[in-house]
């Protein structure tokens, strides 16, 4: 079950004295109000909880673009955050939970759970993810155990992608990449967003991970 943390404490409005530069043109920005969001996040024990919070908005002095300043722990345009999505997909594809039962645990609909499983299954090629993991950390024991998710069904495909994402997320962690999220899905997509500026949408049809993910697009940072 999701707990509702929003009614307990009014969320604080906190922001630094100056906004970050514009993500599009790097010009200085000014603060431009607030946005109240209501994401479902996984707390440290793995329990999904709705956590209402205020996010500062900024506006560019040059190109006039407005944007919301998101902390690293929040993935853009997602109510159900990636660690929660990963947990539901794991329960359906690796465990024996039905989509309805796994969805109920986090307060989502069965339709959402089925959509997440499909989305993860189409997110990328497990072998490509493992190649990136081996490239980032040549000592990584990549690929071990992937063959246990045999089959052509969507659950088996989602399980292989999730497993490969876990291995890539672990490789990133061992190489000192700062990772705000805990699941492989959250770590890999968070890393893509921080280092390459890519945001993958879960709303429409599955979009594979960006070309920046492919070998040859060297990750920046440690
Ligand atoms: Zn700008």
């Amino acid at each position: 079950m999701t707990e509702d943390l929003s009614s307990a404490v009014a969320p604080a409005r906190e922001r630094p004295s100056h906004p970050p530069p514009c993500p599009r043109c790097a010009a200085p920005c000014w603060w431009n109000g607030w946005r109240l969001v209501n994401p479902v996040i996984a707390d440290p024990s793995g329990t999904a909880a709705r956590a209402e919070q205020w996010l500062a908005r900024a506006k560019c002095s040059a190109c006039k673009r407005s944007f919301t300043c998101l902390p690293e722990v929040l993935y853009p345009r997602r109510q159900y955050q990636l660690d929660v999505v990963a947990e539901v997909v794991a329960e359906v594809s690796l465990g024996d939970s039905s989509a309805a039962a796994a969805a109920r645990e986090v307060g989502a609909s069965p339709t959402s759970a089925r959509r997440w499983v499909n989305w993860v299954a189409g997110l990328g090629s497990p072998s490509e993810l493992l190649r990136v993991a081996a490239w980032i950390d040549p000592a990584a024991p990549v690929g071990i155990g992937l063959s246990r998710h045999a089959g052509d069904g969507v659950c088996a495909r989602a399980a292989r992608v999730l497993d490969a994402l876990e291995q890539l997320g672990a490789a990133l962690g061992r190489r000192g990449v700062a990772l705000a999220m805990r699941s492989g899905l959250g770590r890999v997509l968070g890393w893509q967003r921080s280092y390459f500026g890519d945001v993958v949408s879960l709303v429409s049809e599955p979009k594979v991970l960006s070309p920046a993910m492919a070998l040859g697009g060297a990750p920046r940072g440690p």
Side-chain angles (χ1 to χ4, degrees):
M1 293 293 291
T2 34
E3 294 168 43
D4 190 350
L5 302 181
S6 57
S7 55
V9 189
R13 298 193 189 202
E14 291 168 354
R15 64 187 184 193
S17 54
H18 297 290
C22 174
R24 183 185 291 166
C25 73
C29 295
W30 61 77
W31 287 123
N32 187 35
W34 296 87
R35 183 171 161 226
L36 186 62
V37 295
N38 220 356
V40 176
I41 57 174
D43 73 11
S45 72
T47 307
R50 199 171 277 284
E52 186 176 68
Q53 54 191 287
W54 287 102
L55 300 178
R57 285 186 59 77
K59 187 164 184 175
C60 177
S61 60
C63 74
K64 307 301 181 198
R65 181 179 176 236
S66 289
F67 59 97
T68 302
C69 297
L70 274 181
E72 290 285 316
V73 291
L74 290 184
Y75 200 75
R77 301 197 289 272
R78 289 218 50 71
Q79 187 185 24
Y80 288 89
Q81 286 289 307
L82 295 171
D83 286 349
V84 177
V85 170
E87 188 182 309
V88 169
V89 174
E91 281 192 30
V92 176
S93 67
L94 300 169
D96 292 327
S97 293
S98 66
R104 202 178 314 122
E105 289 274 309
V106 302
S109 72
T111 306
S112 292
R114 281 190 283 272
R115 196 176 64 226
W116 296 339
V117 172
N118 272 304
W119 178 77
V120 167
L123 189 58
S125 142
S127 57
E128 183 71 14
L129 294 167
L130 293 177
R131 267 204 299 279
V132 178
W135 175 57
I136 285 170
D137 180 7
V142 295
I144 293 174
L146 225 61
S147 58
R148 68 175 173 256
H149 317 302
D152 292 328
V154 66
C155 281
R157 281 187 284 131
R160 289 194 291 271
V161 174
L162 260 197
D163 202 321
L165 285 168
E166 283 301 322
Q167 297 195 35
L168 176 51
L172 288 168
R174 284 194 301 273
R175 290 301 297 267
V177 174
L179 303 162
M181 288 180 256
R182 281 194 311 279
S183 64
L185 176 70
R187 288 175 157 198
V188 172
L189 266 56
W191 167 64
Q192 286 232 304
R193 173 186 159 215
S194 310
Y195 287 87
F196 305 115
D198 284 333
V199 174
V200 180
S201 171
L202 272 81
V203 178
S204 52
E205 61 194 63
K207 176 196 166 210
V208 293
L209 292 166
S210 86
M213 185 72 156
L215 292 173
R220 284 175 275 144

